[in-house]
Amino acid sequence: MTERPTEPFDPNEPPADTSETVLPSTGPSAEGSSPEAPIPVGPARIATTGPIAEPPGWTVPAPAEPGQAAAFSPEPDRIDRDRVAWQSPVQATPESWFEPTAPTPVPVGVPDRSRSRGFIAPVMVAALISATLASGGTYLALRASGALDRVGSTTTVPAGQTASVPQTVRIDEQSAIIDVAAKVSPAVVRIISSQASANDPNATTGIGSGIIYDKNGWILTNHHVVAGSDKLQVELKDGRSFGGTIYGIDTLTDLAIVKIEATDLPTATIGDSSTLKVGETTIAIGSPLGTYTSTVTSGILSATGRSIDVDSGRISNLLQTDTAINPGNSGGPLLDAGGNVIGVNTAIAANANGIGFAIPINIARPIMEQAVAGQKLARPYIGIRYEMLTLPRSTQLKLTVREGAYIDSGTDTTGQASPAVVPGGPADQAGVKAGDIIVTIEGQTLDTEHPLDSVLTQFAPGRTVTLGILRGSQKVEVQITLGTRPADL
């Protein structure tokens, strides 16, 4: 065994530093968690009037006596910290602490700084000027971009918790829905339709919603909301109630105009459904089930150009949304994130969830304007039978174009023969022929997103429009004066 030589003792050498550095402790905490982590809360349950069955193996403890801790059965698993074995020995805490003796200072020479003072001063001044200019430039850039004017929403820390700094978050979509609800709800009404009978003269036949679009009492709603009624009652969000009359029924879609005798009413802003993009936020306001007035739901625009079959016939060019729409929402508005009316809620898929349909507001706009102008509600008509082309259909027919309205004969819904061009109708008088393909109306290209009937509804009966037609291999233009759509179509 080799012995280590003993170093000589120097009485002038300071004693070795044997003190320990003690780090502050924040208390024990589980890995990845905070000492002040919130207690997790289970999912909410629907309130019931009967007793709630407890899970097997659990019993509800009796209320604890004052000063006595409550207990649960079975007992939750616990960690017996007394049995935890540490692999390394625990050092005993000394009975007293002492500061080490300060070491004897060693005299050192102080360099002469008089030579560097003349050089340091200009450098410091130059650095200060540069920093000032840079700060000023940054401020001007932020001010010009508007970044200094933006205000975020600050979350509120619950009582009993602390936060070192304010937590700023942005919830743009939620804020938009809140703003839309406050802005548009006053212009959404509940419509109660009733039909007198011998047994009950005030029998209610239906309850739906409506949109005030003109301050002088003009309301847009669904036809099926007011159909067959003898009396209409229109209720506003502020509690006022008015008697209503049916001004007119749309012959093309499930729409109707209702009039009440009132002025200075709150109105909804009418938007533009032609600019919609699939996936954007949609909001519905109405009276679901006829009871829960001013209910607000939200979702997205799922698709456009949908067609459905209803009791009154087939409705085309509808908006599809997953926004919750229920019975009683019919006639209410479908809105975009800016609070603009983009559609009228009309129907839901009976065998599915999250599939609702709305009539685009651009289809409703012409009859809305006709009503305010005191005109009879009317739709344009050209008198043809057609189908919108798709790529497979175009390939099957060996056509040179893939999109457009192909005029061809066929059969109607009753199985009767239907001519391609109605004799004596507007198209017949303008020289339109079977086999023609209408590719444009007033310069608007016809395709799956812009079908003929949807584009045609933008024009009033009696107006002359230009049709771009492909006839064989030739392109021709035809001037046609629009007629009035018959009510029985």
Side-chain angles (χ1 to χ4, degrees):
M1 177 175 180
T2 305
E3 295 184 358
R4 183 178 179 181
T6 302
E7 297 182 359
F9 173 76
D10 186 354
N12 296 323
E13 183 180 354
D17 186 358
T18 60
S19 63
E20 296 182 14
T21 302
V22 181
L23 298 177
S25 174
T26 58
S29 62
E31 181 178 355
S33 63
S34 169
E36 296 180 353
I39 300 174
V41 180
R45 296 183 179 179
I46 299 175
T48 60
T49 56
I52 300 176
E54 295 297 327
W58 291 85
T59 58
V60 180
E65 295 294 330
Q68 179 181 358
F72 293 87
S73 178
E75 287 288 332
D77 294 337
R78 298 180 179 177
I79 299 176
D80 190 353
R81 291 183 172 82
D82 295 337
R83 293 183 297 172
V84 175
W86 299 94
Q87 301 299 326
S88 58
V90 180
Q91 296 182 356
T93 302
E95 297 180 357
S96 62
W97 296 94
F98 62 90
E99 295 294 332
T101 305
T104 304
V106 179
V108 295
V110 178
D112 186 3
R113 300 180 180 175
S114 60
R115 299 179 180 178
S116 60
R117 291 176 181 173
F119 174 75
I120 294 177
V123 172
M124 294 182 64
V125 172
L128 181 60
I129 295 175
S130 299
T132 303
L133 293 176
S135 301
T138 301
Y139 172 80
L140 293 176
L142 292 174
R143 174 61 67 184
S145 65
L148 297 179
D149 300 326
R150 299 173 187 166
V151 179
S153 58
T154 303
T155 58
T156 303
V157 180
Q161 298 185 13
T162 58
S164 57
V165 293
Q167 303 174 18
T168 302
V169 295
R170 292 185 180 276
I171 314 178
D172 296 335
E173 182 178 351
Q174 180 177 345
S175 299
I177 296 173
I178 294 172
D179 294 340
V180 169
K183 172 184 175 183
V184 184
S185 290
V188 180
V189 300
R190 182 171 73 161
I191 300 177
I192 303 175
S193 61
S194 58
Q195 185 176 20
S197 65
N199 297 328
D200 186 357
N202 296 318
T204 299
T205 58
I207 299 178
S209 304
I211 310 162
I212 303 176
Y213 69 91
D214 184 271
K215 66 179 182 180
N216 292 319
W218 293 101
I219 299 171
L220 176 66
T221 186
N222 281 141
H223 177 204
H224 72 263
V225 171
V226 298
S229 63
D230 296 330
K231 179 182 178 182
L232 295 180
Q233 180 180 347
V234 179
E235 299 177 351
L236 276 64
K237 183 180 180 181
D238 60 12
R240 290 182 291 172
S241 179
F242 300 90
T245 57
I246 302 174
Y247 178 84
I249 302 298
D250 185 19
T251 59
L252 177 64
T253 65
D254 183 26
L255 291 174
I257 301 294
V258 171
K259 182 69 170 65
I260 61 175
E261 297 303 321
T263 58
D264 296 325
L265 297 176
T267 60
T269 303
I270 304 304
D272 182 3
S273 55
S274 67
T275 61
L276 297 176
K277 301 296 182 183
V278 172
E280 67 177 88
T281 298
T282 54
I283 304 164
I285 303 179
S287 301
L289 306 182
T291 303
Y292 307 104
T293 59
S294 301
T295 294
V296 180
T297 57
S298 65
I300 64 169
L301 181 66
S302 304
T304 60
R306 298 302 197 198
S307 297
I308 61 173
D309 293 319
V310 294
D311 294 339
S312 59
R314 189 171 183 82
I315 306 178
S316 302
N317 309 311
L318 300 178
L319 305 177
Q320 178 186 331
T321 178
D322 69 349
T323 303
I325 298 175
N326 296 283
N329 275 110
S330 293
L334 185 68
L335 307 148
D336 61 17
N340 305 302
V341 180
I342 58 174
V344 181
N345 298 321
T346 299
I348 57 175
N351 56 348
N353 293 322
I355 301 179
F357 302 97
I359 299 173
I361 197 62
N362 283 13
I363 293 180
R365 191 190 306 273
I367 64 170
M368 296 163 62
E369 295 172 351
Q370 291 169 4
V372 174
Q375 302 172 358
K376 181 180 179 181
L377 303 190
R379 291 293 190 177
Y381 173 73
I382 60 177
I384 62 172
R385 183 188 183 279
Y386 69 96
E387 63 174 311
M388 293 302 300
L389 292 175
T390 60
L391 178 58
R393 183 59 172 160
S394 178
T395 302
Q396 180 184 7
L397 297 174
K398 299 180 180 180
L399 301 176
T400 57
V401 293
R402 300 180 177 180
E403 295 177 322
Y406 177 61
I407 302 175
D408 192 16
S409 60
T411 56
D412 58 19
T413 56
T414 63
Q416 300 295 322
S418 177
V421 180
V422 178
D428 186 29
Q429 296 177 12
V432 177
K433 301 178 180 180
D436 285 351
I437 303 174
I438 303 177
V439 292
T440 62
I441 298 180
E442 286 291 285
Q444 171 64 62
T445 300
L446 302 185
D447 51 32
T448 54
E449 294 185 359
H450 304 88
L452 184 144
D453 54 353
S454 177
V455 174
L456 204 60
T457 57
Q458 303 176 27
F459 308 105
R463 176 172 172 175
T464 299
V465 298
T466 301
L467 305 181
I469 293 179
L470 181 64
R471 180 173 294 164
S473 59
Q474 296 181 348
K475 292 183 178 180
V476 297
E477 289 188 349
V478 175
Q479 304 294 316
I480 183 173
T481 300
L482 302 176
T484 299
R485 180 183 175 89
D488 57 352
L489 284 183

